[in-house]
Structure formats: C-alpha cells, structure tokens
Amino acid sequence: MDINFNKNEDYNKLQLKELKKKLLKVYKGGGDVRIEKHKAKGKLTARERIDYLFDKDSDSIEIGALVGDEMYKEHGGCPSGGVVVKIGYIKSKQCIVVANDATVKAGAWFPITGKKNLRAQEISIENKLPIIYLVDSAGVYLPMQDEIFPDKEHFGRIFRNNAVMSSMGITQISAVMGSCVAGGAYLPIMSDEAMIVDKTASIFLAGSYLVKAAIGESIDNETLGGATTHCEISGVTDYKASDDKDALDKIRNIVDKIGDFDKAGYNRIKSKKPTEDPNEIFGILPKTRTDQYETREIIKRIVDNSEIEEYKKDYGKTIICGYARINGWAVGIVANQRKVVKNGKKEMQFGGVIYSDSADKATRFIANCNQKKIPLVFLQDVTGFMVGSKSEHGGIIKDGAKMVNAVSNSVVPKFTIIMGNSYGAGNYAMCGKAYDPRLIVAWPSARLAVMGGAQAAKVLLQIEKASLKKKGEEITEEKEQEILASIQKKYDDQTSPYYAAARLWTDGVIDPLDTRKWISMGIKAANHAPIEKQFNLGIIQV
C-alpha cells in the first residue's frame, strides 16, 4: 500500500470514530439522570424495549438515529427526535418498530419527531412491513405546536396513515407503556390490536388537571385512563400487561401467528463475502473530496465475491453500471466514477461529473433492471452534470432529463448510498431523497449541497460584497478574507452528512462496513411488496 492509502485510512477511520462517538451520545437519550428516573418507575428505555422485542443475535438497522442532531438547542435538544425507529426481526418476521423515548422531554413530539414517525410509516407502507408502536409520550411539544399540529405532513397525518395502512392489510400493533394523551391517544386505538401496561401506563384525551379545569370533575389519572379502566370498563385496549416485558412478550406472541406474505420475487442465492477486504475502503476513499479514486475498487469490497458484470463498460465512463449480488440478492449498481478517464480518442473527462453519454447509459441500464425486476443500488459521488457550450450544444439537459425520468418512474426498489459528493442535479439523477429510495444513507465522507463549498462560497462572497458596498462600507482584502472564511465555515457545516441526517434528508450516517447489511435488509423488506405497476417512461425526448 502507498503512503496516500495510509493517510486516507487514518483520516477515514477518524471520521468513523467521530460517528461512533456521536451515536454513543445519542443512545443516552435524555441523559443518565433521566434514564435513572425512568427505570425507577419499573420501565425499560426505548432501546431496551426494542432489543427485548427483537430476536436475539439477529440483524437490525436504525432509521434516523441522528435526527435532531444540534437542533432545538434553545429547547434543550431532541436526541434522535425523541423516538427510536428500527427495522429488525420478531419471531423471524421482519418488522419496523417505533418507540417513544420518554427520557427526552417526556417523549413529547417536536416537529422533527413528527417527520420521523411519518418516515417510519412510509417505510411500512412502501414495503408492507408490520409496524409496532411502543407508546410513551406526553404528546405535542406545546412551545412548538404551530410547527407540528395543523399541516398535511404534521401530527394528524399519523392517524390518517393508521387508517390507510389498516385498509392495505398492514399489521399494526401498539403497546401503551407510559403516557398516551390527547390526540396521541388515537394512534394505539387505530392499530389492529392494542395493549396497556398496568399502573405505569395511561390513555386519555385530557388528564386529571385538565378535566378539573374543564368540567370541574376531580379524578386521578389511574381511574381516568389506567389499564383496568380501559381493559375492563371502556374496552379501549385489548390486553393488560403486568410490566414492560410482559407487553413485549405479548407482541412477540401475536407476531408469531401472522401468516406468510406475498413476495415480490427478487432473485437471491447463497451469499458470498467479498474476496477483496472491505476494510480497505478506508484507504481507497480519499481524504479530500476533490481527489480521484477508482470507484470499481470500492464496489469490489461491497459486492459478493467482489464480482460485477459491467454494462457498456467502455461507454459513458463517468458512470459505472453493472449487475452484481449483495448478500445473495441480485442488484443493479449505478455508481459515479471519480477517477478522470479518457473517452476513446476524445478529451479527458472530469470524474464524478455526469456527461451525456453517461446519462444515456444509466437510463438504458435502469430500464433494463426494471425489465428484469432487479433492485437498483446507487453509489453517489457526484458533482453534477457537465456544463459549457460543448455539453449544452450536445443536449446535456435532454440526456440528463432522460436519466431523471428513468429514476423517477422506476418501479423496482431503489437504495442510495452517498459515499462522497452529492451536489445539485447530480443528487437528483442519482436517486436523492426526492426520488423515493426505499433507504438512503450516507458515509461519514459524504457532502450534500447544491454545489461544492469553494464555488458556493465565492458566489456568496460576491453577493455579500455587493450588499456591503451599497451600504457604503469599504471592503479591504483582510475584510474580504474574513467574510469568505465565515461563509465557507457556514456552508461546510450545512454540507455535513450530520446536518442532513439531523433533518432526515437521509436515513442516517453509517459505517461503510455496514453497507451490505443495509442494502440486504432493505431488499428483504421490499420483497414483502410485489410490484403493482409497469415501468413506463411516459413522454420522453429521444
């Protein structure tokens, strides 16, 4: 290995260490003191509940672990958005679980909490996955109610989805394991089956204080909406559990009886590990986002037996397309090639840039995968489409539109891994969040923005200088550099993979070595939902 490999490896492993450090902090939820108070009530934490629910030693992935990162600081923060969402196996059946974290503001719903809950339901709907709700929440976080209550993608959409999912035949099971108040009380009762934990859980539209204020009735919360009330008097809940573990055992027993699902039929054979060492990804991936590297070497460390059958290998060289397997599943890979390549006798091309021929190749390949019912995996490290008179005259907009059309209308499941840059229209063409990937995750090396930081900072600098000159301020060289540094820092912060993950633009930042697991579990989930429509590009200019 050369010196650059070692430098890259050191840098990327430090980046991974930073990710793990962030996750360890997130896993603490509201912190040690609040966890102790929570457990003093005889409760398990949200993550302990999920771990108990899942089959031991089985794979699982967490959606949105970094949601809320560095957000709502004036309100004390909201680690993981105050809710834990995981996909895993219960009695060997793949399910998605949504668990309120009552150590974070008593499980109250911040705006990002609502967005994360809707994302969990979206995954359940797309993949027809059974969904389990572990409810322990004080309801809407009132200081921010205007950002969570009334709009289409706010709190109320959850209950609308409950109803739609029920009509689709998607299993929904709820366990009320703590507070369940006001509008939130509808979620468990709109599930197929609901249970409540005795003494520690309650369900009511209004608590005892509000009842006293509203109608003058004096009543305690347990009598108003405890387990005995709802299991023996109101009939609101179906099962009474003695404690958290009893409730989780009941869920496991119910899931165990669910019948088999209709399969989409994606091709799978026995899995083979890559023959090339996946740990070498850290040395191959460059420290600097503008440096070149051979994307094929990354692919070899992700796919089974390190084998890929390339499609149009010698055409459209800034995008790699090919058939491979990941954990036994057949996949079609569309990956940006970062290494500068020669296009036959033509001029050198810029790596990571999409040219007309690359867009044409990718469009045809995506169509082929849809024809053959092969899931698509997009490996992003893209700076955008090629600009300039030659590209414009050659119809780059038309060819780019064809690729975007193919991605938009694809009916096979899509999965997106952001390895490096994800800029501008390149993000769209390579199946960014707006194009409905079943799962989208970033590596710590990722950067998401409308354009690269250096270019954006220079544009923003010119705007800022013009504004200051209008005010009559003199711009010295020193002042200009100060403004540029400030703009660059702010822009770099916003392009961080953590900034994107906090806002759920991605489903998380992951260890590159977990990429195979995420894609494999994603296809396993997608296999629950047979394709119901034909691939059709509609009207497209050829």
Side-chain angles (χ1 to χ4, degrees), residues 473-485:
E473 293 188 31
E474 183 181 345
I475 311 298
T476 63
E477 178 68 25
E478 186 179 78
K479 178 72 171 176
E480 183 173 318
Q481 290 304 311
E482 182 184 317
I483 294 170
L484 182 62

Side-chain angles (χ1 to χ4, degrees), residues 457-511:
K458 288 175 183 176
V459 172
L460 292 167
L461 174 64
Q462 295 307 314
I463 295 170
E464 180 68 15
K465 283 171 65 178
S467 174
L468 291 172
K469 281 181 180 179
K470 278 185 181 180
K471 296 175 183 176
E473 293 188 31
E474 183 181 345
I475 311 298
T476 63
E477 178 68 25
E478 186 179 78
K479 178 72 171 176
E480 183 173 318
Q481 290 304 311
E482 182 184 317
I483 294 170
L484 182 62
S486 173
I487 291 171
Q488 182 85 53
K489 183 185 184 305
K490 183 179 179 181
Y491 198 85
D492 286 346
D493 288 345
Q494 291 178 352
T495 65
S496 160
Y498 300 110
Y499 191 92
R503 288 153 183 80
L504 212 54
W505 300 344
T506 67
D507 291 317
V509 183
I510 68 165
D511 181 343

Side-chain angles (χ1 to χ4, degrees), residues 260-378:
D260 202 0
F261 55 90
D262 294 331
K263 296 174 178 62
Y266 302 118
N267 185 294
R268 190 181 198 186
I269 61 173
K270 186 177 179 180
S271 174
K272 293 182 181 178
K273 292 182 179 179
T275 55
E276 302 288 342
D277 184 1
N279 284 288
E280 290 176 354
I281 288 173
F282 298 108
I284 297 166
L285 201 65
K287 174 180 177 180
T288 306
R289 291 275 31 92
T290 54
D291 285 354
Q292 301 173 39
Y293 66 96
E294 177 54 76
T295 307
R296 287 177 183 85
E297 294 303 317
I298 298 287
I299 294 171
K300 287 178 184 177
R301 287 154 178 83
I302 293 173
V303 301
D304 288 12
N305 218 34
S306 299
E307 292 177 344
I308 180 169
E309 186 67 36
E310 278 200 55
Y311 172 81
K312 291 183 181 288
K313 182 178 180 180
D314 297 316
Y315 176 74
K317 291 186 177 181
T318 61
I319 285 184
I320 297 168
C321 296
Y323 302 108
R325 290 188 182 275
I326 293 177
N327 201 14
W329 294 103
V331 296
I333 292 176
V334 181
N336 302 114
Q337 167 63 310
R338 285 290 298 152
K339 190 173 183 181
V340 173
V341 295
K342 283 187 178 180
N343 191 9
K345 295 181 179 178
K346 298 180 184 178
E347 63 190 51
M348 295 284 282
Q349 293 187 335
F350 294 100
V353 177
I354 302 174
Y355 288 76
S356 285
D357 54 358
S358 300
D360 175 68
K361 177 171 82 171
T363 301
R364 291 171 181 268
F365 181 71
I366 290 166
N368 279 340
C369 287
N370 275 271
Q371 182 84 354
K372 298 178 179 70
K373 205 160 73 170
I374 300 172
L376 285 159
V377 174
F378 292 84

